[in-house]
Amino acid sequence: MIERYFATCPRGLEQVLAAELAALGGQSIEPVDGGVAFAGDQALCYAANLESRVASRVLWQVGQARYRSEHDLFDAARALPWPRLFDVGHTIRVNVSAIRSPVKSLDFVTLRVKDAVCDAFRQQRGSRPDVDTQAPDVRIHAFLTRDQATFYLDTSGEALFKRGWRAAGGDAPLRENLAAGILRLTGWAPPTPLFDPMCGSGTFLVESAMMALDAAPGLDRSFGFERLSGFDADLWRTLREKARARRRRLDRLPIYGSDKSGSVLGMARENLAAIGLAGAVELKQMDVLDGGPPAAGGIMVMNPPYGERLGGTDELAAFYPRLGDALKQRYAGWTAYILTSDLNLARLIGLKATKRTPLYNGALECRLFEYRLVAGSLRRRKPAGGDA
Ligand SMILES: C[S@@+](CC[C@H](N)C(=O)[O-])C[C@H]1O[C@@H](n2cnc3c(N)ncnc32)[C@H](O)[C@@H]1O
């Protein structure tokens, strides 16, 4: 049976996610702001959860209706066959999001959708599911546009960027799926060396290692679809076993990380150990302004401290020109990708960006700047104001 799904993702990564879903066999793929609509069978839904490195959630569309009022939304939700979709013993949580909806309160709509679901159960099963907003068994999403409501069951459960490998956090760790999407945007693949000189807790290192090993990101976690009616345990087991058998075993990877902070490096080490790669990725305590590259060329990827989160802005204003000089002087042959929310970087770093990709880190608008570092790529710094 072909069903309709919507996979959410960090904004800016929709095309990367669309490519992933196409490679998994998705049909009718349609990227929109913040996610990708697609169609496929149950196996595709399981595979998207297991294999997508970029999706945040995979939502299964269970209903759609036109509406004008909160009352219509209650009726539309009430008409859906919830008791056939999951067991009354499961706890639920309802989430409502909207773009240009005329409703006055999303909290009120959330309550009404929850009431509609409970009503349907009470009438058909004689009892209703409990609500658990912290750790629900089943998540129900409603998405409202100006006049249309779409209802979804969340097949992921916990968000997909929670892979299960993060033992240690660091200062401002990147979301795993944002890091994986950035790695895809760089086009990196082994045997090209990959180097993160400000690796923090090692998100780029772990995600790139999992790509190098062809390790499915969802191998070690459970999913929301396991708690929905019609869950096909045999199909799921087969998919997971195939993914497990495919995972390569390598003792060395062309992946390198460094950070100026020794304690933060300890976190990266802990996170790599969680995926069994403590020795496969080379870690070094080093200031990016002082040290040199681990190989003759390759891809560098980094996210320097954000002005708002770490370090003062003045400190960063002094840091970027020095980073630009270090890259120019010591990293010819490398292509550097820098993720930052600080658009002053473009002006202060003194290098000519060969590409800028808008990306969102949660609500924070960022750019991924690409610098192809060839001898002579340093140019005069622009006066204040330009997005070089
Ligand atoms: C925003 S965090 C990186 C987070 C990382 N991508 C993660 O997911 O955990 C920035 C990191 O840069 C490091 N750092 C700051 N200045 C540095 C420098 N001059 N050389 C090397 N590392 C530096 C900090 O210790 C911090 O771990």
Side-chain angles (χ1 to χ4, degrees):
M1 265 251 292
I2 299 300
E3 300 283 346
R4 294 216 47 88
Y5 298 97
F6 187 79
T8 60
C9 68
R11 276 169 67 201
L13 293 177
E14 294 87 353
Q15 296 298 338
V16 180
L17 175 56
E20 264 192 341
L21 293 168
L24 291 170
Q27 301 165 26
S28 311
I29 291 173
E30 195 189 324
V32 297
D33 250 8
V36 178
F38 66 104
D41 59 11
Q42 202 174 28
L44 178 72
C45 168
Y46 294 0
N49 276 291
L50 176 65
E51 304 282 358
S52 174
R53 299 186 194 279
V54 175
S56 300
R57 295 180 177 281
V58 179
L59 308 176
W60 169 32
Q61 183 176 323
V62 294
Q64 197 163 53
R66 300 240 160 237
Y67 80 97
R68 287 168 62 177
S69 65
E70 285 84 347
H71 188 75
D72 297 341
L73 290 170
F74 177 88
D75 288 347
R78 179 67 183 78
L80 295 176
W82 302 107
R84 286 217 311 267
L85 300 175
F86 60 91
D87 193 86
V88 69
H90 284 321
T91 56
I92 61 168
R93 172 188 167 137
V94 176
N95 274 87
V96 179
S97 53
I99 294 180
R100 285 187 289 276
S101 166
V103 301
K104 289 199 188 67
S105 157
L106 291 188
D107 284 345
F108 181 63
V109 174
T110 306
L111 210 62
R112 293 306 283 152
V113 171
K114 185 266 294 170
D115 287 345
V117 174
C118 290
D119 254 29
F121 270 98
R122 216 182 277 110
Q123 196 198 26
Q124 289 179 42
R125 298 280 188 269
S127 62
R128 51 154 281 186
D130 287 334
V131 169
D132 181 346
T133 53
Q134 293 304 308
D137 297 320
V138 173
R139 291 166 203 255
I140 295 162
H141 293 257
F143 176 67
L144 313 180
T145 60
R146 193 173 50 80
D147 59 356
Q148 185 163 272
T150 311
F151 297 94
Y152 298 97
L153 278 174
D154 184 338
T155 67
S156 302
E158 283 261 62
L160 295 177
F161 54 79
K162 296 188 181 162
R163 322 273 207 225
W165 60 253
R166 194 180 285 285
D171 274 337
L174 275 185
R175 286 228 168 127
E176 292 75 351
N177 58 339
L178 178 59
I182 289 170
L183 288 166
R184 288 252 202 270
L185 288 173
T186 71
W188 173 77
T192 301
L194 182 92
F195 177 37
D196 180 351
M198 309 180 91
C199 71
S201 65
T203 314
F204 282 124
L205 307 179
V206 174
E207 289 296 320
S208 57
M210 300 213 320
M211 287 180 185
L213 299 177
D214 202 7
L219 262 184
D220 297 317
R221 52 161 282 167
S222 68
F223 294 97
F225 60 73
E226 295 171 60
R227 294 181 288 272
L228 300 180
S229 305
F231 168 55
D232 187 337
D234 289 339
L235 172 63
W236 173 228
R237 196 173 313 111
T238 310
L239 283 173
R240 212 162 46 168
E241 274 164 16
K242 266 197 199 151
R244 199 160 271 143
R246 195 184 76 200
R247 188 188 196 276
R248 294 188 198 109
R249 318 254 152 224
L250 295 171
D251 296 334
R252 281 286 322 139
L253 294 170
I255 298 173
Y256 307 86
S258 59
D259 199 286
K260 73 171 182 188
S261 154
S263 61
V264 157
L265 269 186
M267 295 181 193
R269 197 164 288 118
E270 221 180 303
N271 287 329
L272 284 160
I275 57 163
L277 288 176
V281 171
E282 202 173 293
L283 294 178
K284 186 172 166 187
Q285 186 170 359
M286 180 180 104
D287 190 319
V288 65
L289 302 179
D290 300 334
I299 304 275
M300 282 172 99
V301 62
M302 67 195 99
N303 77 302
Y306 294 103
E308 306 94 85
R309 296 170 80 174
L310 306 170
T313 317
D314 291 349
E315 228 176 284
L316 284 178
F319 174 72
Y320 289 142
R322 296 183 64 200
L323 177 64
D325 290 350
L327 292 177
K328 161 69 174 65
Q329 283 158 14
R330 293 197 288 278
Y331 290 88
W334 290 78
T335 301
Y337 292 86
I338 306 184
L339 178 74
T340 180
S341 62
D342 184 352
L343 302 185
N344 279 327
L345 173 135
R347 184 169 51 80
L348 294 169
I349 198 166
L351 297 170
K352 174 143 182 59
T354 39
K355 208 187 272 176
R356 315 172 182 79
T357 309
L359 287 175
Y360 281 78
N361 184 5
L364 199 61
E365 187 185 350
C366 297
R367 291 277 183 289
L368 181 68
F369 290 102
E370 179 195 83
Y371 300 99
R372 287 183 191 280
L373 302 166
V374 287
S377 58
L378 186 69
R379 49 170 225 181
R380 275 191 36 226
R381 288 193 180 99
K382 273 187 156 189
D387 180 2

